[in-house]
């Protein structure tokens, strides 16, 4: 599947009327930094959507839903409409975080039934280094109307994950770094470890040394030990960095892939849920 587009692909289509470019840069722990970076300089014509203000719901008081709960569908469609995204738009999303934030918007648009959405390979710094058009000017937003056709089968909730623990027809994939997966460190959440039975596939391993996405064959190599007939449930800390693994799995030809959007931060908000540490 073609979910990733090159810098030159976008350059050739930069001013086509149905293209909407979305800047998703965001720095964890510095919630205003992404917008400030956008306002200082961005790809010509790009609009900005914020991970926490636009692409997540407010935090639940009990911690349920995780650190980045899925946004309300209506609120999300309002945000998309506000920046000019319609059902007919070809949307190209980028960040400067290896595709993690951009992949969140990619997944959300797919979840809403939008097919024409792509992640820009390499990101903003590579675009700038290539000498391609950047600006500090913000385009005049012409609102559109976005109508969602929610693809419920792309999502899995905590109760179903718990019910499927130990089911041989399902593979859980933890997308965090190995030390967090093993429970050796936990910089963000209150409890360390992973969901019992999960295997570890760090999302950044989907990128090459240059920061570009690996091709379909290389992605397939990352997941060569997985049964293509099994259902795959992907999670991370808060449902953001799992989404690059969803893309990588699709690029590798896996079709039965769902996201546990609440992820680890949602799982541990239920004190009765089991926790594993070490390697599986």
């Amino acid at each position: 599947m073609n979910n990733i587009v090159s810098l030159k692909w976008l350059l050739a289509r930069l001013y086509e009327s149905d293209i909407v470019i979305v800047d998703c840069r965001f720095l964890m722990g510095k919630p205003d930094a992404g917008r400030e970076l956008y306002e200082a300089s961005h790809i010509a014509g790009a609009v900005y959507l914020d991970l926490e203000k636009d692409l997540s719901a407010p935090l639940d008081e009990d911690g349920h839903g995780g650190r980045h709960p899925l946004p309300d569908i209506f609120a999300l469609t309002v945000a998309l409409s506000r920046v000019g995204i319609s059902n007919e738009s070809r949307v190209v999303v980028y960040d400067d975080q290896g595709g993690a934030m951009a992949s969140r918007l990619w997944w959300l648009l797919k979840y809403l039934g939008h097919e024409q959405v792509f992640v820009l390979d390499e990101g903003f710094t590579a675009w700038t280094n290539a000498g391609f058009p950047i600006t500090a000017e913000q385009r005049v937003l012409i609102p559109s109307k976005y109508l969602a056709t929610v693809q419920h089968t792309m999502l899995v909730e905590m109760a179903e994950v718990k019910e499927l623990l130990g089911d041989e027809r399902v593979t859980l994939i933890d997308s965090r770094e190995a030390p967090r997966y093993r429970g050796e460190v936990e910089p963000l959440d209150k409890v360390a470890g992973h969901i019992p039975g999960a295997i570890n596939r760090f999302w950044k391993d989907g990128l090459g040394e240059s920061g570009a996405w690996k091709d379909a064959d290389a992605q397939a190599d990352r997941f060569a030990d997985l049964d293509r007939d099994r259902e795959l449930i992907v999670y991370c800390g808060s449902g953001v960095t799992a989404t690059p693994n969803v893309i990588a799995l699709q690029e590798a030809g896996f079709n039965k892939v769902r996201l546990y959007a609440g992820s680890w931060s949602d799982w541990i908000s239920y004190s009765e849920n089991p926790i594993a540490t070490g390697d599986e």
Side-chain angles (χ1 to χ4, degrees):
M1 297 183 69
N2 182 27
N3 297 301
I4 312 298
V5 294
S6 69
L7 302 175
K8 289 184 177 179
W9 185 97
L10 179 58
L11 180 67
R13 296 161 178 80
L14 195 60
Y15 301 107
E16 293 181 5
S17 60
D18 65 329
I19 292 278
V20 180
I21 306 164
V22 186
D23 187 318
C24 293
R25 283 177 288 173
F26 188 89
L27 300 178
M28 295 293 188
K30 299 181 180 179
D32 297 322
R35 177 167 283 280
E36 290 168 358
L37 288 168
Y38 167 78
E39 291 175 351
S41 180
H42 52 264
I43 293 177
V47 298
Y48 184 76
L49 287 174
D50 185 275
L51 172 66
E52 293 185 345
K53 294 183 176 72
D54 301 308
L55 308 181
S56 305
L59 294 175
D60 185 281
E61 289 183 5
D62 296 324
H64 300 327
R67 285 182 281 107
H68 293 104
L70 283 189
D72 172 77
I73 296 296
F74 177 74
L76 179 58
T77 58
V78 167
L80 297 174
S81 300
R82 172 174 52 82
V83 298
I85 296 174
S86 73
N87 294 79
E88 288 71 45
S89 299
R90 281 184 294 165
V91 183
V92 180
V93 293
Y94 73 89
D95 58 34
D96 229 2
Q97 286 72 46
M101 312 304 163
S103 296
R104 167 77 164 206
L105 179 53
W106 171 91
W107 187 91
L108 286 170
L109 280 164
K110 290 284 188 180
Y111 182 57
L112 298 186
H114 199 89
E115 286 301 317
Q116 296 293 305
V117 54
F118 310 95
V119 173
L120 181 66
D121 201 4
E122 300 178 88
F124 181 72
T125 296
W127 177 274
T128 304
N129 291 343
F132 295 163
I134 58 173
T135 183
E137 293 182 12
Q138 297 183 36
R139 63 183 283 185
V140 175
L141 296 180
I142 302 173
S144 63
K145 187 173 185 179
Y146 194 91
L147 298 175
T149 307
V150 179
Q151 307 297 302
H152 295 287
T153 57
M154 290 176 56
L155 180 67
V156 59
E157 303 284 359
M158 186 283 293
E160 187 177 359
V161 174
K162 192 171 183 178
E163 188 178 312
L164 291 171
L165 290 183
D167 191 321
E168 293 184 355
R169 298 167 298 176
V170 178
T171 299
L172 273 170
I173 299 175
D174 187 313
S175 305
R176 298 171 300 163
E177 288 184 88
R180 288 184 71 195
Y181 164 79
R182 292 192 296 263
E184 297 165 0
V185 298
E186 184 43 69
L188 297 171
D189 293 308
K190 295 177 181 178
V191 180
H194 60 265
I195 300 174
I199 63 170
N200 186 215
R201 293 290 187 279
F202 184 35
W203 72 272
K204 276 193 176 177
D205 290 340
L207 307 176
E209 291 183 8
S210 69
W213 288 70
K214 293 178 179 177
D215 64 20
D217 289 340
Q219 300 290 10
D221 288 343
R222 290 178 62 211
F223 305 110
D225 58 328
L226 300 185
D227 186 339
R228 291 178 179 272
D229 292 326
R230 280 193 178 196
E231 182 182 355
L232 306 178
I233 296 174
V234 187
Y235 77 92
C236 57
S238 68
V240 177
T241 58
T243 56
N245 260 349
V246 175
I247 293 179
L249 284 159
Q250 287 198 7
E251 292 288 308
F254 289 86
N255 299 315
K256 300 177 180 179
V257 184
R258 291 200 285 168
L259 175 70
Y260 173 24
S263 286
W264 180 247
S265 51
D266 175 56
W267 183 261
I268 61 172
S269 71
Y270 298 89
S271 59
E272 68 276 14
N273 280 352
I275 290 166
T277 56
D279 287 313
E280 292 275 349

